Amino acid sequence: QVQLVESGGGSVQAGGSLRLSCAASEYTYSPYCLGWFRQATGKEREAVASIYSDGDTIYADSVKGRFTISKDNVRNTLFLQMNNLKPEDTAIYYCAISRLGCRVVQYVELWGQGTQVTVSS
């Protein structure tokens, strides 16, 4: 079974940067998309960024221009480069794969374990 293992979270000050990674074990199918979601304390999980099999990317308005999603198909690794971080970016970040879509929680077929990102002001 495919497993997703995230790394790269941590604590930074506002304006700082972090790079999240999500390593996938061997795929047993070709996902339609890979994505990053986040969940802040007391809030619902939300889509942050997604990348599709054709290379297209979609970002939440709140992170456009600051976050970049990318993938290494050879190493089966998904990345999220986060620049100019803000306190409101504080959340647990999850990587996800889906054959249906990566902007809706209910469409996600497999989640990573999550990695904490904390941004202080």
Side-chain angles (χ1 to χ4, degrees):
Q1 183 176 355
V2 179
Q3 291 185 325
L4 303 176
V5 179
E6 296 134 347
S7 60
S11 297
V12 296
Q13 291 189 329
S17 298
L18 284 173
R19 189 191 195 205
L20 305 183
S21 299
C22 174
S25 59
E26 183 177 356
Y27 288 121
T28 57
Y29 60 87
S30 296
Y32 169 55
C33 60
L34 309 172
W36 290 97
F37 289 72
R38 67 186 180 187
Q39 187 165 18
T41 302
K43 295 187 177 181
E44 294 185 351
R45 194 168 298 190
E46 63 177 1
V48 174
S50 52
I51 186 165
Y52 293 79
S53 55
D54 61 1
D56 282 351
T57 57
I58 297 177
Y59 296 92
D61 288 343
S62 59
V63 306
K64 281 181 181 176
R66 300 187 298 120
F67 290 12
T68 302
I69 188 171
S70 62
K71 60 180 178 174
D72 182 332
N73 291 327
V74 174
R75 299 178 181 178
N76 284 343
T77 303
L78 179 70
F79 302 101
L80 185 68
Q81 178 65 44
M82 305 185 293
N83 298 328
N84 191 22
L85 283 160
K86 303 176 180 180
E88 51 263 42
D89 295 319
T90 296
I92 299 175
Y93 284 70
Y94 300 88
C95 62
I97 62 175
S98 175
R99 286 172 287 189
L100 299 177
C102 289
R103 301 179 68 191
V104 178
V105 170
Q106 289 80 3
Y107 288 170
V108 172
E109 297 176 89
L110 182 66
W111 296 98
Q113 84 282 3
T115 185
Q116 177 71 47
V117 171
T118 303
V119 185
S120 58
S121 57

